[in-house]
């Protein structure tokens, strides 16, 4: 196995917050003495209006965990006000528009004023503590202001990704029972306009409880207007004060609701609260990205996903960092865009998803090598298992072999990163998320719930609570208990499968629902896919099982070729023997299906549950397809199903 030892080459990580020496010590302390550990961290990292009475209470069976019980704080006080004495003129947000050449700098003082104005506008619309506000926005600074404005006054935000359809928006507004929507006239992404206001109008035909729609003018597009309901943000913002006192919130008051990506089924409205969530977002950002004062950090996620919540907005701002918000997509106007933005703003830390890395890798390396990227110090990835091939490309081509990669495993439900390397402490292994964060006790259990000891594979569970844990599925507490706490009683069940190696490092092997069972051999999808992606002709691969008379399950592989590759029977034979060589004959795909695109969620994850239905010829029970980024991909795959 290829390992990269602690980047001895990398001078700048010698002085990292977390080093080989203190990781073990701190981790042991966090596990042996969790209350004392978290109390200390909460004091160091956050400002509290008044202290808590108890660090932790509750249990998994009831799903009633609470952290920092009785403590009072405000998220925006922590993300903005406390930085003002020293950082009023420091950049809080760098905004890079879809169109190259346009960007904005927002200092902490400006952020304060914008957030307060938006908070005052919300108050004028009658929004009170505990009310739900839907945010359906493009990636513009006002999306950040909107989230923070809610947090300022204690309203609960529910951000819906701006790429969702009116139908999906409607479902989420109704499910969270929102009374106000904040949107923009139009979004701009990859040179295309997205009719956000028009989508909102369509959604709201079925949402009688929404009384106000606050509209940001992004593009000046022609939009319909409903008097008495619709309000131009800039008109109201000009009339309100630029200060607004932060509401005093209980540590367990809800901060936001966020729907999961919908990779495995109908999205769940995950509810996070104030104190524990903010603490873990803040701490993990600082330690995992080793954020040093003055650095520029860029996470390419959208604020519509949890990564955008914890690692574009809350984690970075609570640390007084400079966070870059990008309106566009990595391939517009060319696949060099990310690296051009890195050079333009001297980005030091870059965090993206395997789907973006694979897409850029398929375009060839010239787009990367023509840029400098010398400001980069650290790279990160999240969202899916990263194929070792993509990891190597990211490390060598993007990072020039200089920058450690943190492969961060976590979920909407976990609120913050739970398994990840620390750049100054860990031995990196391409494809492994390595070790748990402080206070996190991962474990593997077999299908009977028995603990797997030592090296081995199993269902990934978490033993014991952590501060940024999901508190409930909004409006359906039973669904939370059923989904996460009843499969393996006493544990939080992640839904993911994993392998633990002889060093105790974790490798996520895919969703357990997707596990392949070929002639009695259980295999994770990630292993077979990574073997396929290793081949030079393959850009991306997704494998699923289908009924097979002899083997029980056969392997059906959907494959996207590199941009300059023509599939042929010879190439197929080569791929089969390639997988046989890499893993063994048991993993050899039975069916190969070439496709220019794979069905993905709007957050960019491969949706294997749909591919499984296609492979099994179950076209009329595809399940919830509303979270698909491009439904036409699915239709083409059905038409071209291979036998
Ligand atoms: P749904 O829960 O609605 O099916 P989802 O699980 O895709 O959707 P998210 O919460 O956005 O929604 O994603 C979390 C999942 O993403 C994890 O459970 C895991 O499967 C995958 N994941 C995230 N980061 C990593 C990583 N670094 N390595 C492997 N898998 C990852
Ligand atoms: Mg999930």
């Amino acid at each position: 196995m290829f390992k990269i030892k602690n980047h001895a080459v990398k001078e700048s990580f010698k002085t990292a917050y977390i080093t080989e020496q203190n990781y073990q010590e701190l981790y042991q302390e966090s596990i042996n003495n969790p209350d004392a550990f978290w109390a200390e961290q909460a004091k160091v990292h956050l400002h509290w209006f008044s202290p808590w009475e108890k660090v932790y209470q509750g249990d998994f069976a009831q799903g009633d965990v609470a952290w920092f019980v009785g403590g009072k704080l405000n998220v925006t006080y922590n993300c903005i006000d406390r930085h003002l004495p020293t950082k009023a003129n420091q950049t809080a947000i760098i905004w890079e528009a879809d169109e190259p050449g346009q960007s904005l700098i927002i200092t902490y003082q400006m952020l304060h004023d914008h957030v307060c104005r938006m908070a005052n506008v919300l108050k004028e619309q009658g929004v009170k503590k505990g009310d739900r506000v839907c945010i359906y926005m493009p990636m513009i600074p006002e999306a950040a202001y909107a989230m923070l404005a809610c947090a300022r006054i204690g309203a609960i935000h529910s951000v819906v990704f701006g790429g969702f359809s009116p139908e999906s928006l409607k479902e989420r507004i109704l499910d969270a029972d929102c009374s106000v929507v904040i949107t923009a006239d139009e979004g701009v992404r990859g040179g295309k306009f997205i009719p956000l206001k028009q989508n909102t109008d369509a959604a709201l035909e079925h949402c009688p409880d929404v009384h106000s729609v606050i509209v940001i003018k992004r593009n000046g597009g022609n939009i319909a207007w409903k008097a008495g309901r619709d309000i131009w943000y800039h008109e109201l913002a000009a009339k309100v004060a630029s200060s607004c006192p932060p509401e005093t919130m209980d540590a367990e008051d809800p901060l936001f609701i966020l729907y999961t990506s919908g990779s495995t089924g109908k999205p769940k409205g995950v509810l996070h609260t104030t104190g524990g969530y903010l603490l873990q977002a803040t701490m993990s950002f600082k330690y995992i990205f080793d954020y040093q004062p003055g650095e520029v950090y860029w996470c390419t996620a959208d604020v519509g996903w949890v990564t955008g919540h914890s690692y574009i907005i809350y984690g970075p701002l609570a640390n007084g960092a400079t966070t870059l918000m990008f309106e566009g997509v990595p391939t517009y106007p060319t696949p060099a865009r990310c690296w051009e933005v890195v050079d333009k703003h001297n980005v030091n830390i870059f965090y993206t998803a395997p789907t973006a890395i694979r897409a850029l890798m398929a375009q060839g390396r010239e787009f990367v090598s023509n840029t400098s990227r010398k400001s980069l110090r650290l790279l990160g990835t999240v969202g899916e298992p990263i194929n070792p091939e993509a990891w190597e490309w990211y490390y060598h081509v993007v990072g020039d072999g200089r920058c450690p990669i943190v492969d961060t495993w976590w979920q909407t439900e976990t609120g913050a990163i739970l398994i990840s390397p620390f750049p100054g402490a860990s031995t990196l292994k391409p494809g492994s998320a390595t070790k748990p964060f402080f206070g996190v006790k991962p474990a593997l259990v077999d299908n009977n719930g028995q603990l797997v000891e030592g090296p081995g594979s199993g269902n990934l569970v978490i033993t014991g609570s952590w501060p940024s844990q999901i508190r409930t599925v909004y409006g359906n507490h039973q669904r939370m208990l059923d989904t996460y706490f009843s499969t393996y009683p006493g544990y939080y069940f992640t839904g993911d499968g994993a392998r633990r190696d002889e060093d105790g490092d974790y490798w996520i092997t895919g969703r357990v629902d997707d596990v392949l069972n070929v002639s009695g051999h259980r295999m994770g999808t990630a292993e077979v896919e990574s073997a396929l992606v290793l081949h030079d002709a393959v850009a991306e691969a997704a494998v699923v099982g289908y009924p097979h008379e002899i083997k029980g399950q056969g392997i059906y592989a959907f494959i996207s070729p590199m941009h300059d590759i023509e599939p042929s029977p010879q190439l197929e034979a080569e791929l089969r023997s390639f997988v046989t060589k890499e893993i063994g004959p048991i993993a050899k795909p039975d069916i190969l299906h070439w496709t220019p695109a794979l069905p993905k969620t709007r957050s960019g994850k491969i949706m294997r549950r749909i591919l499984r239905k296609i492979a099994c010829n179950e076209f009329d029970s595809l399940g919830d397809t509303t979270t698909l980024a491009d439904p036409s991909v699915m239709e083409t795959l059905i038409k071209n199903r291979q036998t």
Side-chain angles (χ1 to χ4, degrees):
M1 190 194 338
F2 176 68
K3 292 186 191 179
I4 296 181
K5 182 61 187 158
N6 199 30
H7 290 263
V9 284
K10 193 63 186 120
E11 279 297 302
S12 56
F13 286 94
K14 270 192 185 159
T15 52
Y17 300 112
I18 307 300
T19 60
E20 250 174 319
Q21 290 75 32
N22 65 8
Y23 170 73
Q24 275 310 329
E25 204 177 299
L26 279 167
Y27 182 74
Q28 282 315 323
E29 191 193 326
S30 74
I31 298 302
N32 299 340
N33 227 334
D35 281 16
F37 175 83
W38 286 116
E40 171 69 17
Q41 297 300 323
K43 271 185 227 151
V44 170
H45 293 283
L46 299 183
H47 177 273
W48 298 79
F49 295 143
S50 58
W52 53 90
E53 286 129 34
K54 205 171 171 196
V55 175
Y56 169 72
Q57 71 183 29
D59 71 68
F60 277 0
Q62 309 296 319
D64 61 353
V65 305
W67 284 85
F68 308 107
V69 182
K72 307 283 181 209
L73 75 167
N74 181 282
V75 165
T76 64
Y77 187 89
N78 279 280
C79 289
I80 307 171
D81 304 56
R82 67 166 163 164
H83 307 313
L84 292 178
T86 52
K87 293 185 173 166
N89 296 324
Q90 188 207 287
T91 305
I93 298 176
I94 298 173
W95 179 68
E96 170 76 13
D98 185 60
E99 212 46 57
Q102 292 177 22
S103 46
L104 277 178
I105 298 291
I106 296 122
T107 64
Y108 272 95
Q109 183 65 53
M110 290 158 79
L111 180 64
H112 170 271
D113 297 359
H114 282 300
V115 168
C116 287
R117 282 188 197 280
M118 193 156 325
N120 285 328
V121 166
L122 287 173
K123 276 185 173 173
E124 277 199 347
Q125 296 307 306
V127 177
K128 297 181 307 296
K129 181 173 172 177
D131 289 352
R132 273 83 52 219
V133 173
C134 175
I135 298 174
Y136 180 61
M137 294 269 271
M139 281 290 285
I140 55 177
E142 286 81 357
Y145 308 159
M147 293 165 71
L148 292 160
C150 289
R152 189 84 176 169
I153 63 172
I156 305 170
H157 60 69
S158 167
V159 183
V160 176
F161 173 53
F164 272 122
S165 65
E167 179 65 23
S168 302
L169 175 62
K170 176 200 86 180
E171 270 182 23
R172 286 162 179 74
I173 290 172
L174 291 175
D175 189 77
D177 196 13
C178 297
S179 54
V180 170
V181 178
I182 307 176
T183 189
D185 52 355
E186 288 178 333
V188 189
R189 256 186 126 220
K192 298 194 189 82
F193 299 142
I194 297 131
L196 294 173
K197 173 62 165 60
Q198 191 184 315
N199 289 351
T200 305
D201 290 341
L204 292 189
E205 280 175 22
H206 312 278
C207 304
D209 295 341
V210 173
H211 56 71
S212 310
V213 177
I214 300 171
V215 187
I216 317 288
K217 196 175 215 153
R218 162 65 184 96
N219 212 33
N222 236 334
I223 55 173
W225 202 254
K226 187 164 171 184
R229 186 196 69 181
D230 300 348
I231 305 140
W232 278 118
Y233 176 68
H234 59 271
E235 289 178 2
L236 292 192
K239 294 185 202 142
V240 295
S242 61
S243 69
C244 168
E247 183 76 35
T248 299
M249 303 297 286
D250 191 272
E252 282 299 333
D253 279 335
L255 177 62
F256 65 82
I257 299 164
L258 182 63
Y259 293 84
T260 55
S261 299
S263 304
T264 57
K266 193 174 151 47
K268 302 159 278 262
V270 172
L271 184 112
H272 281 291
T273 56
T274 301
Y277 169 81
L278 187 65
L279 174 60
Q280 218 165 338
T282 305
M283 224 180 120
S284 57
F285 172 78
K286 177 169 174 176
Y287 293 147
I288 292 171
F289 298 106
D290 192 50
Y291 182 83
Q292 303 291 335
E295 287 191 314
V296 177
Y297 160 89
W298 179 18
C299 165
T300 68
D302 191 281
V303 291
W305 314 119
V306 74
T307 307
H309 283 55
S310 302
Y311 299 111
I312 295 179
I313 308 295
Y314 293 119
L317 295 176
N319 278 286
T322 298
T323 179
L324 192 150
M325 263 181 103
F326 176 41
E327 187 181 35
V329 296
T331 47
Y332 178 82
T334 74
R337 183 66 188 275
C338 286
W339 324 124
E340 288 165 0
V341 173
V342 164
D343 287 347
K344 174 175 173 189
H345 298 291
N346 288 311
V347 173
N348 306 107
I349 303 167
F350 179 76
Y351 188 32
T352 194
T355 183
I357 298 168
R358 290 189 303 254
L360 296 176
M361 192 168 85
Q363 302 292 324
R365 61 172 67 195
E366 298 71 46
F367 292 108
V368 192
S369 54
N370 290 337
T371 60
S372 155
R373 288 158 287 108
K374 71 171 187 302
S375 57
L376 286 177
R377 188 170 85 95
L378 178 68
L379 303 171
T381 151
V382 61
E384 285 181 292
I386 180 162
N387 317 107
E389 178 73 1
W391 195 105
E392 299 277 355
W393 187 86
Y394 199 25
Y395 182 76
H396 291 288
V397 179
V398 175
D400 284 330
R402 262 185 310 112
C403 310
I405 296 178
V406 288
D407 176 357
T408 62
W409 176 88
W410 60 299
Q411 309 178 299
T412 309
E413 300 87 337
T414 68
I417 297 166
L418 293 197
I419 305 182
S420 167
F422 289 96
S426 310
T427 299
L428 305 175
K429 300 175 185 173
S432 171
T434 72
K435 295 262 186 344
F437 190 72
F438 303 123
V440 176
K441 284 192 287 180
L444 300 176
V445 295
D446 66 19
N447 288 343
N448 303 317
Q450 296 302 309
L451 276 177
V452 176
E453 307 283 352
S457 299
N459 304 296
L460 179 65
V461 298
I462 310 291
T463 312
S465 183
W466 61 96
S468 60
Q469 184 204 302
I470 177 176
R471 297 301 194 267
T472 194
V473 168
Y474 190 75
N476 194 347
H477 196 66
Q478 192 57 44
R479 188 166 177 214
M480 177 182 83
L481 298 176
D482 294 346
T483 312
Y484 310 104
F485 298 106
S486 57
T487 318
Y488 302 111
Y491 298 109
Y492 168 85
F493 176 43
T494 65
D496 288 340
R499 180 162 68 77
R500 191 174 45 226
D501 68 19
E502 52 290 346
D503 302 324
D505 286 327
Y506 286 85
W507 301 70
I508 309 300
T509 50
R511 318 269 175 163
V512 295
D513 297 350
D514 294 332
V515 162
L516 304 162
N517 191 341
V518 182
S519 309
H521 295 268
R522 293 170 66 82
M523 265 174 291
T525 47
E527 295 170 84
V528 185
E529 290 162 5
S530 290
L532 286 163
V533 172
L534 201 54
H535 193 284
D536 287 343
V538 178
E540 202 162 35
V543 302
V544 295
Y546 71 101
H548 188 287
E549 268 181 29
I550 300 155
K551 302 195 255 186
Q553 250 184 1
I555 298 181
Y556 191 120
F558 296 85
I559 298 176
S560 298
M562 285 290 190
H563 71 290
D564 51 357
I565 294 293
E566 262 310 307
S568 66
Q570 189 202 343
L571 177 58
E572 294 189 356
E574 203 180 301
L575 276 179
R576 288 198 171 92
S577 62
F578 194 75
V579 175
T580 306
K581 195 174 99 251
E582 284 298 317
I583 308 181
I586 198 76
K588 188 166 73 174
D590 298 275
I591 299 178
L592 294 173
H593 182 153
W594 295 94
T595 170
L598 293 166
K600 293 193 177 164
T601 61
R602 286 166 207 254
S603 55
K605 297 167 201 250
I606 298 171
M607 251 215 242
R608 289 182 197 73
R609 67 180 160 89
I610 290 194
L611 293 173
R612 199 162 47 231
K613 294 284 179 187
I614 294 173
C616 298
N617 276 320
E618 292 167 9
F619 304 143
D620 39 9
S621 59
L622 293 171
D624 184 355
T625 54
T626 56
T627 55
L628 268 179
D630 178 2
S632 73
V633 170
M634 181 176 74
E635 285 145 30
T636 316
L637 286 171
I638 292 176
K639 214 165 57 212
N640 298 334
R641 187 191 180 280
Q642 305 290 301
T643 46

